[in-house]
């Protein structure tokens, strides 16, 4: 779910939600030779949002384009082309046996063993082994954290939080310290409680040797620190481990970039692609990873991703041959322009929705003010101006968790939550709740996204009628501002990976990595915890419905609409196919070929 993206998580895509890692057991095979002997050439595509970080797994960098690059290079903390699994078009999990295998060894306790194939290396030639799995388990489990976090502000009040995740530690935070095989190629995880998404855990992300270098120690010494440092206890915090803190500080911020890095260690990859060039606000270029051993190496030389925020400008670039495929923000004008350009259009529903979130502090600490503001949001007007021209059957969205494409589950959730009571704006009702007050409300949104601009203007005009003083806090750098306290309302989108349940603790649990509005509800926290250990699908669906209803009672915010998706190409590239999940148009970029 997110404008940001990824473990499988929701992404925020200019929107998304963070996602927990996906994985399925497979049969062991040895790595296959590079099957992508180059036939030469460059493929250039366009996306809406700019690239900002080589680590899209932090709250500030959890953006869709960052996630796309992480997916292709294999160094995101979730599903990708350089780990144990990825998603197929229908969101089923595809095992990557070129990389390794994993298997459930026991149900009670839940025990899972991961084994990396011998002879694999990172793009810089360093071996891939269990050190890398252990380090990424440490990052994603929160094992060493001894922090207590204030529910209202989201700030650490005592102890240390080492790695700040866009997602959640749920599931992995119940594992004991892993067992590493004698040959250092396998890692076994033992869960103290069942974990609903255990098959989606991919323990490959950033290279252990790079984080060790940034911490100023050898890889051997870094692994020794992980093995010797005890599990964190928030009730008995200790002095931070200096080596672990240095590695975490780099992981949290060191991968963020405003220019092509001179430090080549930031580019180290495990997947078939590696970044070779980056021009801020313009484009990023990926070439073939020379040390990749597997069947997914592309048959072309390089992929250039251009950042073009304006949909019409994307269509013009496609028509002029500047790019060969695009993923624009969909609109009726965009579809008309694509038709006039004789482009091949690939369309469908996205696992993504736009929403308005209220910050549970400041002006919205008062539930009456929250309810009053929600009464002013003209959701039908927003839908009619943005989505209905593309999909005449579209309806206002009335769930924070389910989408209309979820069928009966969505219908059940709407019935239980009551989000549908916020129909047409009720200005008189909002005024009554405000009782003469004229609260000042700052609204954050992406000023480069026309859909978000339209949503902001509609909300501004309506809310002012009830007495709200609306401040335009929009920014092209909106993603970096999420959770900053510099606004009271945010308008953005979550995009789901299409599998797993990690978005629940990420977004709705107190201090979750994607809980940018400081939402805290003890009942929801308990339900979210229960969701992570519930393997019965019917019971899990019921838990989600209850979470949805609780957020509605708290006047959490309002969902707006499910987003349609559009890709288009000019016929020079074979293999482009629609995919409605987080990785968007690049989900099968390794399979593309150039015509002619």
């Amino acid at each position: 779910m997110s404008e940001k993206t990824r473990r499988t998580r929701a992404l925020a895509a200019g929107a998304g939600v963070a996602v927990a890692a996906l994985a399925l057991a497979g049969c062991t095979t040895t790595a296959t030779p590079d099957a992508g002997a180059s036939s030469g050439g460059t493929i250039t595509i366009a996306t809406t949002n700019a690239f900002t970080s080589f680590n899209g797994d932090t709250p500030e960098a959890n953006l869709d384009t960052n996630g796309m690059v992480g997916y292709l290079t294999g160094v995101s903390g979730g599903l990708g082309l350089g780990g144990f699994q990825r998603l197929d078009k229908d969101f089923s999990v595809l095992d990557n046996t070129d990389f390794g295998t994993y298997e459930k060894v026991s149900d009670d306790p839940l025990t899972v063993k991961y084994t990396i194939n011998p002879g694999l290396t990172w793009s810089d030639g360093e071996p891939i082994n269990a050190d890398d799995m252990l380090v990424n388990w440490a990052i994603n489990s929160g094992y060493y954290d001894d922090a207590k976090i204030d529910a209202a502000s989201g700030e650490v009040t005592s102890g240390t939080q080492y790695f700040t995740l866009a997602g959640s530690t749920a599931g992995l935070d119940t594992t004991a310290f892993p067992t590493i095989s004698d040959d250092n190629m396998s890692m076994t995880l033992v869960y103290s409680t069942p974990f609903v998404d255990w098959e989606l855990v991919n323990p490959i992300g950033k290279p252990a040797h790079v984080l060790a270098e940034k911490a100023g120690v050898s890889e051997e010494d870094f692994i020794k620190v992980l093995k010797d440092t005890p599990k964190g206890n928030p009730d008995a915090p200790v002095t931070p481990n200096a080596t672990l803190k240095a590695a975490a500080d780099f992981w949290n911020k060191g991968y963020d970039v405003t220019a092509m890095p001179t430090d080549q260690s930031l580019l180290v990859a495990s997947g078939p692609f590696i970044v070779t060039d980056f021009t801020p606000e313009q484009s990023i270029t990926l070439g073939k990873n020379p040390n990749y051993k597997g069947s997914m190496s592309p048959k072309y030389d390089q992929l250039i991703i251009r950042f073009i925020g304006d949909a019409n400008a994307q269509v013009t670039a496609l028509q002029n041959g500047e790019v060969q495929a695009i993923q624009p923000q969909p609109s009726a004008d965009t579809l008309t322009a694509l038709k006039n350009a004789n482009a091949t259009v690939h369309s469908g529903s996205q696992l993504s929705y736009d929403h308005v979130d209220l910050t549970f502090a400041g002006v919205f600490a008062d539930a009456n003010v929250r309810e009053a503001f929600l009464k002013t949001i003209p959701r039908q007007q927003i839908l009619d101006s943005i989505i209905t021209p593309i999909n005449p059957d579209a309806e206002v969205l009335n769930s924070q968790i389910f989408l209309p494409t979820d069928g009966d589950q969505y219908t059940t959730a709407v019935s239980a939550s009551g989000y549908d009571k916020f129909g047409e704006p009720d200005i008189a009702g909002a005024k009554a709740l405000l009782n003469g007050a004229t609260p000042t409300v700052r609204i954050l949104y992406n000023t480069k996204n026309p859909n978000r601009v339209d949503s902001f203007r509609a909300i501004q005009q309506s809310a002012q009628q009830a007495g709200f003083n609306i401040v335009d806090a929009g920014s092209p750098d909106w993603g970096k501002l999420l959770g900053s306290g510099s606004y009271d309302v945010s308008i953005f989108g979550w995009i789901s990976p299409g599998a797993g349940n990690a978005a629940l603790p990420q977004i709705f649990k107190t201090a979750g990595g994607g809980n940018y509005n400081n939402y805290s509800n003890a009942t929801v926290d308990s339900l979210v915890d229960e969701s992570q250990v519930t393997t019965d699908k019917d019971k899990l669906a019921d838990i989600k419905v209850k979470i949805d209803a609780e957020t509605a009672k708290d006047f959490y915010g309002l969902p707006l609409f499910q987003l349609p998706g559009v890709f288009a190409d000019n016929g020079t590239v074979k293999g482009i196919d629609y995919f409605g999940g987080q990785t968007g148009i690049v989900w099968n970029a390794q399979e593309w070929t150039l015509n002619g």
Side-chain angles (χ1 to χ4, degrees):
M1 311 165 78
S2 150
E3 262 197 4
K4 292 192 139 197
T5 221
R6 260 127 298 336
R7 312 166 322 203
T8 297
R9 70 184 119 283
L11 291 181
V17 170
V19 180
L22 301 179
L24 286 181
C27 300
T28 302
T29 66
T30 56
T32 59
D34 183 347
S38 176
S39 59
T42 296
I43 294 176
T44 304
I45 67 172
T47 60
T48 299
N49 297 302
F51 178 85
T52 64
S53 179
F54 288 95
N55 183 11
D57 295 326
T58 68
E60 294 78 13
N62 183 30
L63 298 165
D64 52 359
T65 303
N66 296 342
M68 289 178 180
V69 174
Y71 170 81
L72 294 170
T73 57
V75 290
S76 70
L79 300 185
L81 302 186
F84 285 92
Q85 68 278 91
R86 58 192 171 96
L87 289 183
D88 204 351
K89 183 179 178 179
D90 62 356
F91 304 107
S92 61
V93 177
L94 295 172
D95 294 334
N96 181 12
T97 53
D98 286 346
F99 184 85
T101 59
Y102 61 97
E103 62 175 328
K104 181 165 65 172
V105 177
S106 168
D107 281 309
D108 188 17
L110 175 60
T111 305
V112 185
K113 182 179 181 180
Y114 299 84
T115 302
I116 297 171
N117 292 337
L120 302 186
T121 67
W122 294 95
S123 58
D124 62 358
E126 292 296 315
I128 301 175
N129 54 37
D131 289 354
D132 301 299
M133 292 194 286
L134 182 62
V135 167
N136 285 283
W137 167 85
I139 291 170
N140 289 286
S141 68
Y143 183 83
Y144 302 101
D145 291 349
D146 57 14
K148 288 188 176 180
I149 299 175
D150 180 70
S153 67
E155 299 296 321
V156 173
T157 57
S158 65
T160 304
Q161 181 183 32
Y162 288 98
F163 300 94
T164 54
L165 299 172
S168 165
T169 61
L172 286 181
D173 61 359
T174 69
T175 54
F177 193 89
T179 300
I180 305 300
S181 63
D182 291 341
D183 65 359
N184 202 35
M185 297 302 289
S186 295
M187 180 178 77
T188 301
L189 298 180
V190 178
Y191 293 80
S192 62
T193 57
F195 179 39
V196 64
D197 289 344
W198 71 267
E199 291 179 299
L200 305 181
V201 174
N202 174 36
I204 289 294
K206 298 304 181 190
H209 67 279
V210 171
L211 293 182
E213 176 193 347
K214 301 308 178 184
V217 297
S218 67
E219 182 175 332
E220 181 181 4
D221 287 344
F222 187 38
I223 297 302
K224 187 175 188 304
V225 166
L226 297 184
K227 292 179 177 179
D228 292 347
T229 303
K231 180 178 174 63
N233 179 2
D235 292 325
V238 298
T239 301
N241 180 283
T243 299
L244 188 56
K245 184 70 164 57
D249 287 348
F250 178 79
W251 188 90
N252 292 335
K253 296 291 184 182
Y255 283 98
D256 299 344
V257 291
T258 56
M260 180 64 181
T262 56
D263 181 356
Q264 295 296 300
S265 68
L266 272 65
L267 309 178
V268 175
S270 62
F273 292 87
I274 186 170
V275 172
T276 59
D277 196 14
F278 169 55
T279 303
E281 301 298 327
Q282 293 187 35
S283 66
I284 191 165
T285 302
L286 298 96
K288 292 161 65 79
N289 175 357
N291 285 323
Y292 172 75
K293 298 181 179 69
S295 59
M296 291 188 288
S297 187
K299 295 185 183 300
Y300 52 97
D301 289 331
Q302 60 180 6
L303 172 66
I304 298 175
I305 303 175
R306 289 186 56 190
F307 321 133
I308 304 177
D310 183 81
N312 289 329
Q314 283 197 31
V315 176
T316 299
L318 182 69
Q319 194 169 21
N320 293 341
E322 299 169 38
V323 301
Q324 292 149 292
I326 61 175
Q327 183 178 347
Q329 282 281 321
S331 70
D333 289 343
T334 302
L335 292 178
T336 298
L338 288 170
K339 182 178 179 180
N340 292 337
N342 293 317
T344 300
V345 176
H346 313 267
S347 62
S349 295
Q350 285 193 67
L351 298 184
S352 176
Y353 73 100
D354 271 25
H355 52 96
V356 175
D357 293 352
L358 308 187
T359 300
F360 279 65
V363 66
F364 287 127
D366 185 334
N368 282 340
V369 180
R370 295 199 300 274
E371 183 180 4
F373 187 80
L374 297 190
K375 283 180 176 290
T376 71
I377 297 177
R379 294 197 294 162
Q380 187 65 49
Q381 176 188 336
I382 292 170
L383 180 82
D384 288 343
S385 66
I386 297 174
I387 303 301
T388 304
I390 310 169
N391 177 9
D393 297 326
E395 298 180 357
V396 166
L397 183 64
N398 286 307
S399 171
Q400 296 283 2
I401 296 175
F402 297 100
L403 296 171
T405 47
D406 291 319
D408 290 344
Q409 288 187 326
Y410 173 73
T411 303
T412 300
V414 172
S415 213
S417 73
Y419 271 115
D420 57 348
K421 75 178 182 181
F422 293 99
E424 294 296 329
D426 178 7
I427 303 301
K431 286 182 175 180
L433 286 165
L434 291 178
N435 194 27
T438 57
T440 295
V441 173
R442 302 162 296 172
I443 301 181
L444 174 69
Y445 63 97
N446 182 3
T447 54
K448 289 188 174 181
N449 185 320
N451 288 353
R452 305 281 152 65
V453 173
D454 288 349
S455 293
F456 164 74
R457 289 174 178 167
I459 293 170
Q460 178 186 44
Q461 292 169 6
S462 183
Q464 286 174 339
Q465 296 177 41
F468 285 99
N469 175 33
I470 302 300
V471 175
D472 185 343
S475 170
D477 295 321
W478 65 275
K480 296 178 181 178
L481 296 174
L482 286 173
S484 66
S486 63
Y487 61 91
D488 307 296
V489 176
S490 57
I491 307 171
F492 68 104
W494 285 121
I495 182 166
S496 168
N501 300 278
L504 297 174
Q506 176 191 356
I507 301 172
F508 300 114
K509 189 170 181 179
T510 300
N515 185 348
Y516 300 114
N517 54 340
N518 294 328
Y519 178 65
S520 183
N521 177 317
T523 299
V524 170
D525 286 349
S526 178
L527 287 167
V528 165
D529 288 343
E530 188 179 352
S531 75
Q532 300 303 290
V533 298
T534 300
T535 56
D536 183 286
K537 291 183 179 179
D538 291 336
K539 291 180 180 178
L540 180 58
D542 183 58
I543 290 170
K544 291 179 180 179
V545 168
K546 290 177 180 177
I547 294 172
D548 215 14
E550 286 291 323
T551 63
K553 286 192 295 184
D554 288 334
F555 308 114
Y556 174 95
L558 282 180
L560 296 176
F561 50 76
Q562 181 175 6
L563 283 159
V566 173
F567 307 162
D569 68 77
N570 63 6
T572 60
V573 178
K574 286 183 179 179
I576 292 176
D577 198 3
Y578 185 76
F579 180 71
Q582 283 178 354
T583 49
I585 194 171
V586 303
W587 76 278
N588 69 336
Q590 73 281 1
E591 299 172 355
W592 296 346
T593 58
L594 283 160
N595 279 325

